Amino acid sequence: MLPIPMPLLVGLGFVLFADVRTFVPPPFQQIGRSGRAWILLAFTYFITIIDQMRRRDYLGQFELMVLLAVIRIGEDAYGVPIARELEAASGREVGIGSVYAALERLEEKSLVSSRTGDPTPERGGRAKQYFHVTSKGLKAAREARRTFVRLWQLKGKTA
Amino acid sequence: MRQPPAPAKWLLTRLAPSTPESVLGDLQEEYEAGRSTGWYCRQVCRAIVAVTVREITAHPVLTVRAAFVGWAFLFIFFEYCFQLLISPEEWLFVRGIADIRSWNIPALSRHVVAPLACAGAGWIVARFHKREMVLIFVMTVLAWNLMEVMYAFRQGLREGWLIAIVVNFAVVPVSILVGGVLTARTESVQ
């Protein structure tokens, strides 16, 4: 369970139990205590979902695609070739910012490692960040492939 | 050397300062290689969203605190200070402090004070949290305003509906964003 700090609890308790009619606009004046309890519950659930998203250890679809692109490109894997590889494979425009967000998550899970290259003038003097798949990353990719193949075979049997 | 559109680049560095420098370099490299201005702007929007989502998932409690602080500022200001600024003599009279309504004190226009207050809320959220949190705060404000406008329409709002829409969905969010991006604190791009 997510540890919720005391000020937040006090604030939510105030929202739940205080007489909100004095400062809440008209649409919310009709909400009773049980309604506010439901809102509080939904809010807590929302925070828990975000916390679970942060802690999840399985590979998402986009993360797996990025990991496979890094494996495929090899030594020269950085944002641009990874994005181009994904665009060529999926036929859709890929956000470079999203690629880096996925790479950061993969690095947090120790599935890829990164090193900073030299700054180049065509990049406005900014350095490239190269990514390399780790042995744990290779293992995770193989495991994902096995799972997909098994699921695909199961689908074939039922179809 | 082909330079990417400056407003898009400025928006990215100001609204999502946690954007890795390598992202800016990659965007510049691709733009130099012949990508269009539209592509660059789309990539900037996606990068802002990606960085904001990353910040929310990395700091969920800070995100909630940012929204809470922004709302607390707006509530305190509009509840206790707004009337004093736009009509001080009325404020003093209502509270029984003094009757100086005949003095004709020059007051500030509500059309200036309200956007400034919203900009102040955006500034406080960005200054004391992370600048990406301003977008989250704006989203909560937009959701709230949407409910209020819908309620007003249900209650039979007929006159001034265009002003209500412009104020709630353009002036208020833009003012908050302006306050947020103008935060003096310099967060170094990673």
Side-chain angles (χ1 to χ4, degrees):
Chain A
M1 183 60 194
L2 177 74
I4 298 175
M6 192 53 72
L8 188 64
L9 272 181
V10 172
L12 291 173
F14 178 72
V15 169
L16 193 58
F17 297 111
D19 184 10
V20 293
R21 274 172 300 177
T22 51
F23 62 90
V24 164
F28 296 94
Q29 286 178 1
Q30 307 304 322
I31 301 174
R33 199 164 282 181
S34 61
R36 279 184 262 158
W38 278 111
I39 291 172
L40 177 65
L41 201 64
F43 181 72
T44 313
Y45 184 58
F46 170 71
I47 296 189
T48 312
I49 288 171
I50 291 177
D51 194 53
Q52 282 175 352
M53 279 170 66
R54 188 172 53 136
R55 292 179 189 192
R56 69 176 187 189
D57 56 353
Y58 61 87
L59 280 176
Q61 189 196 9
F62 191 67
E63 287 173 7
L64 183 61
M65 285 166 68
V66 171
L67 182 64
L68 293 173
V70 171
I71 293 171
R72 192 176 154 87
I73 295 163
E75 287 298 311
D76 290 331
Y78 68 99
V80 172
I82 294 170
R84 283 185 182 163
E85 188 77 24
L86 294 174
E87 280 179 354
S90 65
R92 284 182 297 184
E93 189 176 296
V94 172
I96 289 178
S98 313
V99 170
Y100 273 92
L103 284 165
E104 273 181 28
R105 291 196 296 272
L106 291 172
E107 198 168 12
E108 278 171 19
K109 294 170 190 170
S110 307
L111 301 180
V112 297
S113 58
S114 70
R115 67 182 167 83
T116 307
D118 295 323
T120 52
E122 73 268 16
R123 296 169 58 82
R126 295 184 184 89
K128 289 177 186 171
Q129 196 178 0
Y130 291 102
F131 291 88
H132 184 257
V133 69
T134 60
S135 54
K136 193 181 171 188
L138 275 174
K139 197 177 159 190
R142 286 198 194 102
E143 184 58 42
R145 182 176 179 273
R146 266 199 294 274
T147 308
F148 280 132
V149 168
R150 270 201 298 272
L151 286 169
W152 204 254
Q153 285 167 347
L154 280 174
K155 182 188 175 289
K157 282 175 191 169
T158 53
Chain B
M1 193 170 158
R2 200 171 162 225
Q3 286 297 328
K9 196 173 154 187
W10 181 83
L11 203 65
L12 180 60
T13 50
R14 297 296 297 189
L15 210 54
S18 308
T19 307
E21 198 178 322
S22 41
V23 171
L24 292 168
D26 283 1
L27 290 178
Q28 169 102 38
E29 187 182 327
E30 282 286 79
Y31 191 72
E32 185 95 346
R35 296 276 200 173
S36 66
T37 304
W39 177 88
Y40 191 90
C41 294
R42 283 199 303 278
Q43 288 289 332
V44 163
C45 292
R46 285 178 173 197
I48 290 171
V49 171
V51 170
T52 305
V53 169
R54 187 192 69 185
E55 291 300 323
I56 296 170
T57 50
H59 312 284
V61 176
L62 190 69
T63 307
V64 173
R65 200 187 81 179
F68 187 79
V69 166
W71 275 106
F73 175 83
L74 285 181
F75 168 69
I76 290 168
F77 183 86
F78 282 103
E79 194 68 20
Y80 300 108
C81 309
F82 186 64
Q83 200 63 34
L84 175 65
L85 289 172
I86 64 164
S87 178
E89 66 274 21
E90 195 70 33
W91 190 87
L92 291 170
F93 176 72
V94 167
R95 278 157 186 79
I97 298 169
D99 186 4
I100 52 168
R101 287 175 293 172
S102 56
W103 288 16
N104 210 7
I105 300 170
L108 294 166
S109 165
R110 64 173 63 232
H111 304 300
V112 175
V113 175
L116 277 177
C118 293
W123 188 88
I124 284 173
V125 168
R127 178 68 182 81
F128 297 106
H129 303 87
K130 283 175 162 279
R131 217 178 286 169
E132 289 84 359
M133 307 291 176
V134 176
L135 267 185
I136 308 302
F137 176 52
V138 167
M139 299 303 281
T140 64
V141 170
L142 279 175
W144 185 273
N145 287 353
L146 179 68
M147 282 189 280
E148 282 207 307
V149 169
M150 281 167 62
Y151 180 80
F153 274 112
R154 268 185 61 195
Q155 294 297 310
L157 176 71
R158 292 290 175 267
E159 288 175 19
W161 60 270
L162 187 63
I163 292 172
I165 287 174
V166 169
V167 167
N168 283 293
F169 300 115
V171 176
V172 169
V174 168
S175 303
I176 294 171
L177 283 176
V178 167
V181 297
L182 293 181
T183 311
R185 190 172 69 174
T186 51
E187 290 163 275
S188 61
V189 174
Q190 287 173 6

